[in-house]
Amino acid sequence: MAFSFVNAFLSIVKTFAAYYILVLIYRLVFHPLARFPGPTPAALSSWYEFYFNVVKRGRFLWEIEKMHEEYGPIVRINPNELHINDPEFYDELYGSATRKRDKYAGWMMSGTDGSSFSTVDHDHHRLRRSALNPFFSKKAVVALEPMIQEKVDKLCQRFSSVLNTGEIIRADAAFVALTMDVISRYCFASDDDNLSEPDFKVAWKETLRGAFESGALRRQFPWMLSLMKMLPQALVLKINPSFKLMFDWKASVEARIKPILDRTQPARESQDASHRSIFYELRDSSLPPQEKTLERLSDEGQIFVGAGTETTATTLSKVTFYLLTNKQVLDTLRAELRTVMPNPASPISVTQLEQLLYLSAVIAEALRLSISVSTRLPRIATEETLTYKEWTIPPGTPVSESQYFVLMNKDIFPSPSTFNPGRWLNADGTYNHELEKYLVNFGRGTRQCVGMNLANAELFLTTARLFRRFEMELYETTISDIDMAHDFFSPVPRLDSKGVRVKVLGEVKE
Ligand code: HEM
């Protein structure tokens, strides 16, 4: 009996080995992507990417960079995907309302299938997105401004409260608290007031980071998510405790949306306010019932909380670091701010601030260096055959670009690692609008960031009000605390960084 069991086992192993060898031969010789350039190990197996993204933790981006250096602007980065490094091809790849692009299901492993962000099909995405667009128009964000101002007031109070105390503020965590409170209030009409937490609830930053990082693991084992959903949570956590972060995130959003759908929320706090809260409006919208379930809206909510916080907060951390290490830039900025804010605490609106060219240049440059969404963003052209230079791309192939390669392109942005707001201004002092085409942080095409106007409002108001009012210096913070060392979807600096820390020295005199 034992003997036949061993034989059976060996036969299974041999069959699998033979099958796998055939798969490898197919990928290398007969696959539609076989003629595309790239390293053989990447063409053979997705374990190549797994090694760099999971074992080495978010390092595949730099492997892709090396591939482009060796093989040119189009490379096969794994058995099924192509990556292009060409800023001029960006708009073509990301399509438009009429040039349809699906997302790549094999890439969308965020566990939020119901969100607009994770919606694979172009047309289905249009339906979901059309329900969200009105909340993020310029007009809607202007209506939201009093609430954003209130949150920036609170941020300033926290900075003011440590004056003369010697206490250090963890600015990166403060910015996550700010953006988290803003988006939560807008989505759910309530927030956790993270800005009042002594440590700005820095654990949230870790939660988001952990959830983003685990995406690479889920992409390698796509069955993992379905299995996780079937098993009791306690068991999943025993097997892999790192999923706790994702569960916490999901649970916290569900806990906010359920009472809205059940209509058990005590009062619609923002009912009479100038703005509408997103999830109340989605509940009452004309979306079909299957688009209004707790599960689908929780997925949407999870993405709002994730996408609307770390991205903007990272840019504010960059602003802080670069202004505090470039006195001349800070002085020039303050001189410009004085023209619209005669006193450090003068009231100011986003519309007024957006007229300031130097402030606009500082924010554009901080955004550029933020590489906000560092991961590649694959798309599939569904109704046309994409061609790139002499290459005809086989229909159905996921093709991506990465904003990192555009934002750090030395032909477009000479000395790309240098913080130089001046590059956004022409010699005659006007704004260099030609460069804006390459500021791709918010993405392009129909999937472009829905929260762009909100993010800009947060960036302009926070930068102006904080730096017009406070004299600050960095505390034990170096470039390695903000420079991307890992790509976990969003950029992450060295893992033992203690964040961007500042000392508030005083209030600006005039
Ligand atoms: C500096 C700040 C921000 C940057 C750089 C940024 C960047 C991006 C990018 C690149 C995408 C497209 C991802 C893709 O192609 O798959 C995106 C999508 C999205 N962003 Fe932002 N984002 C920022 C702030 C925000 C804010 C404040 C919100 C809050 C509402 C937000 C909500 C979203 C949502 C919901 C999506 C998915 C949109 C869709 O697929 O239709 N983002 N963002």
Side-chain angles (χ1 to χ4, degrees):
M1 185 78 176
F3 179 70
S4 67
F5 173 77
V6 169
N7 274 351
F9 177 72
L10 285 178
S11 304
I12 291 171
V13 171
K14 277 185 204 157
T15 309
F16 266 111
Y19 169 74
Y20 202 62
I21 287 167
L22 286 177
V23 168
L24 296 183
I25 293 170
Y26 167 76
R27 284 176 179 167
L28 211 53
V29 184
F30 302 107
H31 193 284
L33 299 186
R35 65 201 162 84
F36 284 85
T40 304
L44 282 176
S45 163
S46 57
W47 289 102
Y48 188 72
E49 174 173 350
F50 176 87
Y51 173 73
F52 289 104
N53 263 350
V54 177
V55 181
K56 305 274 267 184
R57 304 187 68 180
R59 298 290 308 171
F60 193 53
L61 180 66
W62 289 273
E63 283 310 304
I64 296 179
E65 187 168 39
K66 283 186 206 155
M67 291 182 205
H68 282 300
E69 278 161 14
E70 191 174 341
Y71 298 97
I74 183 164
V75 287
R76 184 183 185 188
I77 54 171
N78 65 34
N80 303 313
E81 281 186 66
L82 295 174
H83 188 277
I84 292 176
N85 176 8
D86 186 343
E88 304 307 330
F89 194 69
Y90 218 81
D91 286 327
E92 172 79 6
L93 177 60
Y94 289 99
S96 64
T98 49
R99 304 191 66 193
K100 296 185 179 183
R101 304 287 185 259
D102 279 359
K103 282 202 166 178
Y104 173 35
W107 179 255
M108 302 313 303
M109 289 291 154
S110 62
T112 56
D113 293 351
S115 67
S116 305
F117 170 76
S118 302
T119 307
V120 168
D121 179 74
H122 172 96
D123 294 321
H124 195 184
H125 173 262
R126 298 307 290 159
L127 171 81
R128 289 175 168 171
R129 178 70 181 245
S130 63
L132 300 177
N133 284 336
F135 297 106
F136 295 98
S137 65
K138 259 272 191 256
K139 197 169 151 222
V141 173
V142 168
L144 195 64
E145 201 169 314
M147 185 270 278
I148 307 173
Q149 294 273 15
E150 180 198 314
K151 296 296 177 193
V152 181
D153 282 345
K154 199 164 247 177
L155 180 82
C156 289
Q157 279 161 24
R158 287 296 303 271
F159 275 62
S160 177
S161 72
V162 299
L163 268 176
N164 307 319
T165 65
E167 202 184 306
I168 306 298
I169 289 222
R170 182 139 175 208
D172 59 325
F175 297 141
V176 172
L178 170 80
T179 51
M180 178 76 88
D181 285 353
V182 167
I183 193 63
S184 302
R185 177 76 86 83
Y186 194 23
C187 282
F188 316 119
S190 62
D191 62 72
D192 281 339
D193 194 13
N194 291 326
L195 278 167
S196 296
E197 294 284 335
D199 67 347
F200 296 107
K201 209 153 175 193
V202 67
W204 254 118
K205 215 174 133 63
E206 302 309 321
T207 301
L208 293 175
R209 177 178 297 184
F212 284 145
E213 184 181 2
S214 59
L217 188 67
R218 292 193 298 274
R219 272 194 289 279
Q220 185 68 14
F221 304 109
W223 43 263
M224 209 178 223
L225 268 178
S226 325
L227 185 70
M228 266 167 54
K229 281 187 182 158
M230 276 156 45
L231 296 175
Q233 238 183 58
L235 182 62
V236 175
L237 291 179
K238 265 217 149 63
I239 301 166
N240 190 340
S242 75
F243 283 134
K244 179 162 188 329
L245 301 172
M246 255 187 70
F247 288 146
D248 287 352
W249 183 3
K250 195 175 167 56
S252 75
V253 171
E254 261 179 25
R256 285 200 190 282
I257 294 179
K258 193 165 185 316
I260 296 176
L261 294 187
D262 293 348
R263 298 173 193 270
T264 52
Q265 192 88 335
R268 187 169 165 173
E269 294 164 42
S270 65
Q271 204 161 33
D272 301 320
S274 51
H275 65 271
R276 301 163 300 150
S277 300
I278 298 173
F279 283 85
Y280 287 92
E281 295 297 330
L282 289 179
R283 179 195 68 191
D284 299 339
S285 72
S286 58
L287 278 173
Q290 70 273 18
E291 292 293 318
K292 296 201 230 174
T293 61
L294 175 62
E295 192 172 0
R296 140 82 188 128
L297 291 183
S298 297
D299 285 353
E300 196 76 279
Q302 243 180 292
I303 288 299
F304 272 108
V305 173
T309 54
E310 184 71 11
T311 41
T312 318
T314 300
T315 309
L316 287 170
S317 294
K318 295 266 178 179
V319 167
T320 303
F321 180 86
Y322 286 114
L323 287 182
L324 298 183
T325 47
N326 289 276
K327 186 166 174 344
Q328 203 197 335
V329 174
L330 180 57
D331 288 347
T332 311
L333 177 66
R334 280 209 182 118
E336 189 191 54
L337 288 173
R338 278 190 193 98
T339 63
V340 289
M341 299 173 76
N343 303 308
S346 299
I348 190 73
S349 71
V350 176
T351 312
Q352 283 171 293
L353 291 172
E354 280 175 342
Q355 307 304 315
L356 302 183
L357 299 191
Y358 198 72
L359 174 63
S360 304
V362 164
I363 287 174
E365 188 64 348
L367 259 173
R368 184 183 71 78
L369 287 166
S370 296
I371 324 280
S372 319
V373 174
S374 47
T375 184
R376 67 183 189 268
L377 296 167
R379 296 290 186 273
I380 299 175
T382 49
E383 292 179 355
E384 62 185 304
T385 301
L386 274 185
T387 51
Y388 174 68
K389 295 192 169 167
E390 72 274 27
W391 299 95
T392 301
I393 295 169
T397 304
V399 187
S400 52
E401 291 220 29
S402 306
Q403 47 177 261
Y404 169 73
F405 298 115
V406 181
L407 299 170
M408 298 304 279
N409 184 304
K410 59 181 180 345
D411 296 327
I412 301 167
F413 302 108
S415 306
S417 304
T418 306
F419 177 75
N420 173 17
R423 71 172 90 238
W424 295 94
L425 301 171
N426 296 315
D428 63 1
T430 53
Y431 198 78
N432 185 351
H433 288 291
E434 300 219 329
L435 263 194
E436 279 181 327
K437 171 178 175 212
Y438 301 107
L439 193 65
V440 292
N441 298 66
F442 291 105
R444 283 287 150 81
T446 52
R447 312 293 184 121
Q448 188 176 43
C449 178
V450 74
M452 202 160 74
N453 292 325
L454 172 59
N456 274 328
E458 292 173 325
L459 293 172
F460 276 83
L461 282 178
T462 310
T463 305
R465 294 190 50 193
L466 215 51
F467 287 91
R468 176 67 185 92
R469 180 161 168 201
F470 296 105
E471 294 287 4
M472 295 175 267
E473 70 179 13
L474 290 170
Y475 175 79
E476 293 185 2
T477 301
T478 68
I479 189 85
S480 70
D481 292 299
I482 57 159
D483 259 2
M484 170 166 68
H486 304 269
D487 162 27
F488 290 162
F489 184 92
S490 53
V492 170
R494 68 186 162 89
L495 298 172
D496 59 350
S497 167
K498 294 194 169 65
V500 174
R501 290 173 292 164
V502 297
K503 231 185 218 176
V504 186
L505 304 173
E507 300 222 16
V508 174
K509 290 284 175 288
E510 43 30 283

